[in-house]
Amino acid sequence: MFQHDRPQRKRVIDISLKTKIINLPKISDVRGNLTFIEGNNHIPFEIKRAYYLYDVPGGESRGGHAHRETEQLILALSGSFDVVVDDGNVEKRTITLNRSYYGLFIPKLTWRELVNFSSGAVCLVLASTKYEEKDYIRDYREFVKTVKAHGN
Ligand code: TYD
């Protein structure tokens, strides 16, 4: 028999202003677990791109930027890592991702850094846009200015 392990509790857990952990569907049976993600259903955007980070050497960090328009869902498909998020207004929050059925939704104009990758960690990112370098804000001071200009 399949065990549809759909969480009884609220699916979305707020952890800061707009960044949130999304508890994805998980279907378990004797063959293992299966999780699925539908754009505009389980996550609040249409998926235009997927990319993944792997073989990240110990002590290295990724990210260190914000996006002007792109929204993302970040998942630890294997292993674990921490995501430090900062909306430019309140204090930074650190979220540890270590379960394949938790997705961290990151809205636009959120500074993020991915750190503390475990050995063998695989980070999947689903994005609402195709890659465009001009969507990146890579300078923190420019990020804070842009947030203020948007009245966030
Ligand atoms: P970057 O966004 O700096 O990596 P991270 O956020 O994980 O630290 O991207 C590294 C390089 O890869 C950079 O030259 C841009 C390129 N890249 C693409 O060509 N397409 C993509 O979808 C992404 C995410 C990056």
Side-chain angles (χ1 to χ4, degrees), residues 49-53 61-65 67 72 112 114 125 127 129-133 136 138:
R49 175 169 51 119
Y51 64 91
Y52 38 98
L53 306 170
S61 66
R62 305 287 317 208
H65 59 248
H67 290 281
Q72 295 185 324
R112 93 291 310 274
L114 280 62
V125 183
T129 61
K130 294 199 173 161
Y131 173 76
E132 264 196 298
E133 185 56 36
Y136 280 71
R138 295 191 185 271

Side-chain angles (χ1 to χ4, degrees), residues 78-149:
S78 182
S80 67
F81 52 84
D82 294 336
V83 187
V84 184
V85 289
D86 175 354
D87 68 1
N89 276 314
V90 293
E91 86 268 45
K92 289 185 193 178
R93 310 291 300 263
T94 299
I95 300 105
T96 299
L97 289 178
N98 56 10
R99 294 281 181 269
S100 310
Y101 51 86
Y102 282 149
L104 182 65
F105 171 71
I106 309 254
K108 61 184 171 183
L109 289 182
T110 306
W111 192 267
R112 93 291 310 274
E113 194 163 2
L114 280 62
V115 297
N116 293 334
F117 282 83
S118 70
S119 162
V122 179
C123 167
L124 174 67
V125 183
L126 304 179
S128 65
T129 61
K130 294 199 173 161
Y131 173 76
E132 264 196 298
E133 185 56 36
K134 68 178 178 356
D135 185 58
Y136 280 71
I137 306 174
R138 295 191 185 271
D139 177 79
Y140 187 76
R141 278 174 304 180
E142 187 193 342
F143 162 65
V144 173
K145 258 197 236 166
T146 308
V147 168
K148 284 197 171 38

